[in-house]
Amino acid sequence: MQDNHYDIIIVGGGPIGLACALEASLNNLSYVILEKGCLVNSLYHYPQNMTFFSSSDRLEIGDIPFVTTLPKPKRSEALEYYRRIQQKFKLNIKLFEQVTVIDKHNDIFNTKTTKNIYTSKYVIIATGFYDIPMLLNIPGENLDKVKHYYQDPHYYANQKVIVVGASNSSIDAALETFRKGADVTLVIRGKEISPRVKYWVKPDIENRILAGEIRVFYNSSLSEISESHAHIQTQDGEVILENDFVLALTGYKPNFKFLKSAGINIANESPCQPEHDPDTMETNVDGLYLAGVVCGGLNTHLWFIENSRIHAQQILTDIKQKEENLLS
C-alpha cells in the first residue's frame, strides 16, 4: 500500500467512526480514522456525571459486549468501552489531527489535515454535531461567564446560575449544580420541560420546581447578559436577575460549512439535512458517505449511537458492491 493511501478515510473517531473501521477490517479494506481531538472526543466532552438514556447493549459496536454494573451506563464506562475496542482491534486512528479539506480528482479523494495529506477511494464522514453550539445571539453572550458546554457541577457551588434550555443537558445541569449549592434559575422558551427528558430525571426536576428550590421562567428567553446581571424576557415583562454564570445549553449543530466544502448538498430549509441515500448512506458525491448523527442536520434527535450503528454495515455493503462491480 502506498504511504497515506487507503481504501477508506473515516473522518471522526467517535463510536460510529469506530464501527465503520471495524466493518472495513471485516471486509479486508484498508482504512484510517482521522480525529481532531481525543478518542471518542464528543463523549469525552459530555458532562462528567452523565448517565446515558440507553442501556449498555444498545451502545455496543462490532458485536462486542458492553458490560456495566448498572442498567444505564455512565460516561466514564462508555469511554472505557470504546477505548478497549480501539486497543483490542488495533484500529488505525490518528488523534488530534483535524481534517481541513476533502476534494476529489479523477475518482480519488484527497483529504488534507492539520498534519498530513491522505488519498483514498472512499470517504466516510462521521463527525457528529457536538462541535458548534447554537448561539443565543444576544448582547453579552461573549462574556467568560457564559458557557455552552457543561462538565462538572462543583465549579458552580455557591454561585447564581441561569440554565437555558429544557432538554436533558439543561435539566441535568440544573439539578446537579443545585445539589452542589448553586442558586439555579431555569429559562425555558416553551411552556414545559421537554418530554424527551430522561424518565427518571423528569419527576426530580418537576418536584424541585414545585418545592421552589429551582426557579423557572417558562415561555421566556434571555435578552441580554452583563458581568453581574442577566435580562430575561417573560410573558409578564422583563426580569433582571443578579447572576454569576449562564449555562446556555441550547443545542448544537453539524459543521455545515465543512460538509458543503466537500461538495455535499445541504437543504436550505430546517432541518438542513445533508443529501444522502438512506439505504447506502452515500451523498450526492460518489464515494462520499455520511454516518451517525451528522445525517440528521439540525434534527439532532433523529440519530443516536444505538440507531445509527447500522450505518457502518450499510456503507461497507455498498462499498463492497462497488468493488465487486469493478472486478466483474
Side-chain angles (χ1 to χ4, degrees):
M1 182 182 66
Q2 180 184 342
D3 287 349
N4 291 341
H5 179 79
Y6 298 89
D7 293 318
I8 305 170
I9 298 292
I10 301 168
V11 185
I16 305 306
L18 298 183
C20 290
L22 287 170
E23 286 294 322
S25 261
L26 287 173
N27 286 279
N28 297 314
L29 294 170
S30 62
Y31 69 88
V32 64
I33 306 169
L34 303 174
E35 167 56 56
K36 74 172 188 176
C38 64
L39 185 66
V40 289
N41 189 63
S42 292
L43 295 190
Y44 175 77
H45 286 97
Y46 282 0
Q48 292 184 8
N49 300 324
M50 192 201 82
T51 299
F52 282 85
F53 189 91
S54 301
S55 56
S56 57
D57 61 298
R58 299 190 67 191
L59 301 176
E60 294 173 354
I61 59 175
D63 295 324
I64 309 302
F66 183 0
V67 180
T68 59
T69 55
L70 297 172
K72 307 288 186 182
K74 293 185 174 294
R75 164 189 170 275
S76 59
E77 293 175 304
L79 292 177
E80 180 69 9
Y81 171 73
Y82 295 118
R83 182 183 65 80
R84 292 289 293 272
I85 283 183
Q86 188 276 321
Q87 292 182 342
K88 175 179 175 60
F89 293 98
K90 296 181 173 58
L91 299 180
N92 186 22
I93 184 168
K94 308 290 186 182
L95 298 174
F96 302 101
E97 186 165 347
Q98 183 171 1
V99 173
T100 56
V101 176
I102 298 173
D103 56 28
K104 187 178 183 182
H105 297 287
N106 300 322
D107 296 328
I108 294 294
F109 287 97
N110 297 286
T111 300
K112 299 178 183 179
T113 75
T114 49
K115 297 180 179 180
N116 222 321
I117 299 176
Y118 302 85
T119 58
S120 63
K121 296 175 69 175
Y122 306 99
V123 172
I124 302 171
I125 297 178
T127 48
F129 65 86
Y130 199 56
D131 294 326
I132 302 178
M134 302 285 283
L135 300 180
L136 300 174
N137 294 314
I138 61 173
E141 188 172 11
N142 60 333
L143 293 173
D144 289 340
K145 65 183 278 187
V146 181
K147 312 293 183 183
H148 292 285
Y149 295 92
Y150 160 78
Q151 288 190 310
D152 186 2
H154 172 82
Y155 187 80
Y156 302 100
N158 304 320
Q159 300 297 291
K160 294 179 174 64
V161 178
I162 289 176
V163 181
V164 183
S167 63
N168 278 299
S169 57
S170 303
I171 300 308
D172 283 345
L175 287 168
E176 289 181 7
T177 53
F178 159 72
R179 292 200 163 96
K180 296 299 182 183
D183 177 358
V184 178
T185 299
L186 268 170
V187 176
I188 295 174
R189 184 173 55 185
K191 63 180 181 180
E192 61 183 358
I193 302 295
S194 170
R196 294 193 181 97
V197 168
K198 290 172 280 198
Y199 63 84
W200 66 92
V201 172
K202 198 164 185 287
D204 190 3
I205 187 64
E206 290 172 340
N207 287 333
R208 301 290 73 72
I209 291 170
L210 285 173
E213 296 169 326
I214 292 178
R215 185 188 300 110
V216 63
F217 290 97
Y218 293 111
N219 300 305
S220 302
S221 60
L222 283 181
S223 59
E224 184 179 347
I225 303 166
S226 70
E227 289 285 2
S228 58
H229 291 80
H231 298 243
I232 306 170
Q233 294 299 324
T234 77
Q235 289 183 314
D236 300 319
E238 184 180 63
V239 174
I240 302 176
L241 296 181
E242 286 190 25
N243 172 252
D244 298 306
F245 289 99
V246 173
L247 296 177
L249 307 178
T250 49
Y252 308 92
K253 61 183 178 180
N255 189 336
F256 291 124
K257 183 178 179 181
F258 172 69
L259 297 178
K260 287 180 179 178
S261 72
I264 300 173
N265 294 332
I266 309 287
N268 292 324
E269 302 82 17
S270 183
C272 304
Q273 285 184 299
E275 183 178 337
H276 65 280
D277 183 332
D279 294 322
T280 66
M281 309 311 294
E282 188 174 27
T283 69
N284 55 284
V285 179
D286 291 343
L288 178 57
Y289 298 82
L290 296 178
V293 296
V294 69
C295 303
L298 293 177
N299 191 349
T300 54
H301 298 288
L302 181 63
W303 295 107
F304 304 92
I305 297 172
E306 54 266 38
N307 68 349
S308 63
R309 295 175 297 178
I310 193 174
H311 292 171
Q313 294 178 348
Q314 290 176 269
I315 293 168
L316 268 297
T317 296
D318 192 62
I319 289 176
K320 198 69 173 178
Q321 185 62 57
K322 288 178 185 291
E323 290 296 293
E324 289 173 359
N325 290 342
L326 288 173
L327 295 174
S328 62

